[in-house]
Amino acid sequence: RKLQVENTVLRSEVKRGWAAGNLMGKSPPMKEVFDLISRVSNATANVLITGESGTGKEMVARAIHESGPRKDKPFIAINCTAIPETLLESELFGHAKGAFTGAVGKKRGLFEEAEGGTLFLDEIGDMNVAIQAKLLRVIQERKVRPVGDNESHDINVRIVAATHKDLKAAIKDGRFREDLYYRLSVIPIVIPPLRHRKEDIPLLAEYFLKKYAAMNGSPVSGFTKSALHKLMEMRWEGNVRELENLMERAVVLTSNSLIDEKDIPSAETTTGESFYSSATVDMPDLAELEKRYIHFTLEKTG
C-alpha cells in the first residue's frame, strides 16, 4: 500500500512539470519547455530545438516523440556532423544498386526507416547547402527519391531538428537556406543553458549521484552544503552533460558517504570576486567596466 501511494505521488509530481521523459527540472524555463512538449507532441508540425551543446536537445526530441501518437513507431536520430557530406545524402534518402562506386545493393534511407515515426536531425546547422535543398524538397513534397533511383516514395515522417548554432546568422552568411529554416522551425523550442536555471542543479546532481552510486555500488548518498554551494556557483559551460560527467567522477573517486567541496574539481565560477579580477585585468575605463558588469549580471540572472 505504501509503495502504491508513493507511486501515485511520484506520477502526480511528474505531471506537475518536474520531468518529461528523461528530462527533469523545476525552474520556470524548464517548465515552459515541458509545457511546449505536451502541446506539440500530438501535432504533426516540424520542430526546431535550439540550445547550447549538452543541454539535452535529443532528450527533448525523444520526449516529443514518446508523448505523441507516433510513440510506437521508430525514433531515428542522425548527427549531421558525424557523417561525411559525401555519404549524408545516401544515409538520409537511401540509394539504388549501382548508384555510385561501392553501392553493391539497394539501401533504404533513414526517412524510410523512420516511416510513421520521427526523424531527429541533430546539428542541422552543419548540413551542406546542396543537401539542404534536397531536404527542403522532401519536406515540401512528402516524397523521397533514393540516390540513383528514378522513382519517388511517399513518406509519413515527423521531422525534429536541432542545432547549437545561430541559424539566422548562418542565413545571412549564406550557409543555411532561409526557406528550409522556416519549414523546420514551425514550432521553435529553446533549451536554456544550465547556468540560467540554477534551481535545477541540485535536482539533477541528486539524480546523477543516485544513478552512478547504484551503477558502481558506491556508498555515497548525498552532498555537503559546501559542495552544493560550489555546484551552484560553477559556470557549467558543458551544461547538463558536464554535470553528469562530474557526478560520475565524484561518485567513483570519493570514499565518504557525502560528496564534499574538495571532491568537486575546481572550475570557473561566477562570483563577484572572480568577475572583478577578470574584468579589471586590462584596466578598462568606467564605461567599459559598467558594460562588462551589466553583461555579467544578465548572465547570472539568465
Side-chain angles (χ1 to χ4, degrees):
R1 174 65 182 158
K2 182 182 176 184
L3 284 171
Q4 287 176 337
V5 171
E6 185 178 328
N7 190 32
T8 304
V9 171
L10 289 172
R11 285 178 180 275
S12 67
E13 286 294 312
V14 168
K15 289 178 181 176
R16 278 172 51 193
W18 287 69
N22 288 325
L23 286 166
M24 60 176 58
K26 57 183 180 180
S27 61
M30 285 308 292
K31 286 183 177 178
E32 287 182 21
V33 171
F34 296 154
D35 181 53
L36 265 175
I37 289 171
S38 66
R39 284 193 283 156
V40 307
S41 57
N42 290 315
T44 58
N46 297 330
V47 177
L48 178 65
I49 305 167
T50 56
E52 295 178 6
S53 293
T55 48
K57 297 186 288 295
E58 183 170 345
M59 286 186 175
V60 171
R62 286 185 181 275
I64 291 170
H65 173 78
E66 291 166 4
S67 302
R70 297 176 182 264
K71 62 183 178 182
D72 296 324
K73 298 294 183 179
F75 176 90
I76 304 293
I78 179 172
N79 188 319
C80 298
T81 60
I83 298 173
E85 291 179 5
T86 52
L87 298 178
L88 185 57
E89 182 180 358
S90 168
E91 197 70 24
L92 286 172
F93 311 127
H95 64 249
K97 182 179 179 180
F100 50 84
T101 304
V104 293
K106 183 179 179 181
K107 179 183 183 299
R108 279 161 56 94
L110 294 182
F111 270 97
E112 291 183 82
E113 294 287 348
E115 179 62 26
T118 303
L119 180 61
F120 176 56
L121 302 172
D122 198 7
E123 299 305 347
I124 190 79
D126 294 313
M127 182 179 281
N128 178 278
V129 176
I131 301 180
Q132 289 178 30
K134 294 177 180 178
L135 176 60
L136 177 65
R137 188 183 184 95
V138 170
I139 294 172
Q140 289 173 333
E141 298 180 357
R142 312 302 295 177
K143 292 177 182 288
V144 65
R145 179 184 293 182
V147 178
D149 202 336
N150 294 324
E151 294 184 6
S152 297
H153 312 288
D154 292 333
I155 54 164
N156 172 24
V157 174
R158 183 179 196 176
I159 296 174
V160 179
T163 182
H164 72 279
K165 294 188 173 180
D166 183 348
L167 290 188
K168 290 192 174 180
I171 291 169
K172 289 181 181 178
D173 296 339
R175 292 178 287 108
F176 202 84
R177 293 180 63 107
E178 186 174 20
D179 45 7
L180 177 60
Y181 171 78
Y182 288 112
R183 283 285 184 176
L184 292 173
S185 65
V186 177
I187 302 170
I189 298 179
V190 181
I191 313 298
L194 188 57
R195 63 184 174 276
H196 290 175
R197 48 186 180 106
K198 299 229 173 206
E199 306 99 305
D200 295 337
I201 292 174
L203 187 71
L204 290 163
E206 187 76 25
Y207 169 76
F208 291 133
L209 180 141
K210 288 179 179 177
K211 173 183 174 180
Y212 289 108
M215 286 174 62
N216 293 282
S218 170
V220 179
S221 60
F223 304 90
T224 63
K225 286 186 178 180
S226 60
L228 272 179
H229 178 74
K230 185 170 183 178
L231 289 175
M232 295 285 283
E233 287 298 323
M234 290 172 68
R235 284 282 296 164
W236 301 116
E237 297 291 348
N239 292 293
V240 179
R241 187 182 296 130
E242 181 186 356
L243 175 60
E244 181 174 5
N245 289 343
L246 191 148
M247 286 299 99
E248 182 177 11
R249 184 163 67 241
V251 166
V252 170
L253 296 180
T254 189
S255 55
N256 302 315
S257 60
L258 295 178
I259 290 177
D260 194 18
E261 183 179 2
K262 61 179 173 53
D263 299 315
I264 299 170
S266 294
E268 184 191 356
T269 60
T270 53
T271 61
E273 292 81 2
S274 66
F275 162 76
Y276 185 77
S277 61
S278 62
T280 58
V281 67
D282 57 346
M283 295 299 290
D285 58 32
L286 283 175
E288 174 62 23
L289 185 59
E290 180 184 39
K291 181 179 177 182
R292 293 179 190 181
Y293 182 69
I294 292 170
H295 181 76
F296 164 78
T297 307
L298 290 171
E299 276 287 305
K300 280 281 281 184
T301 60

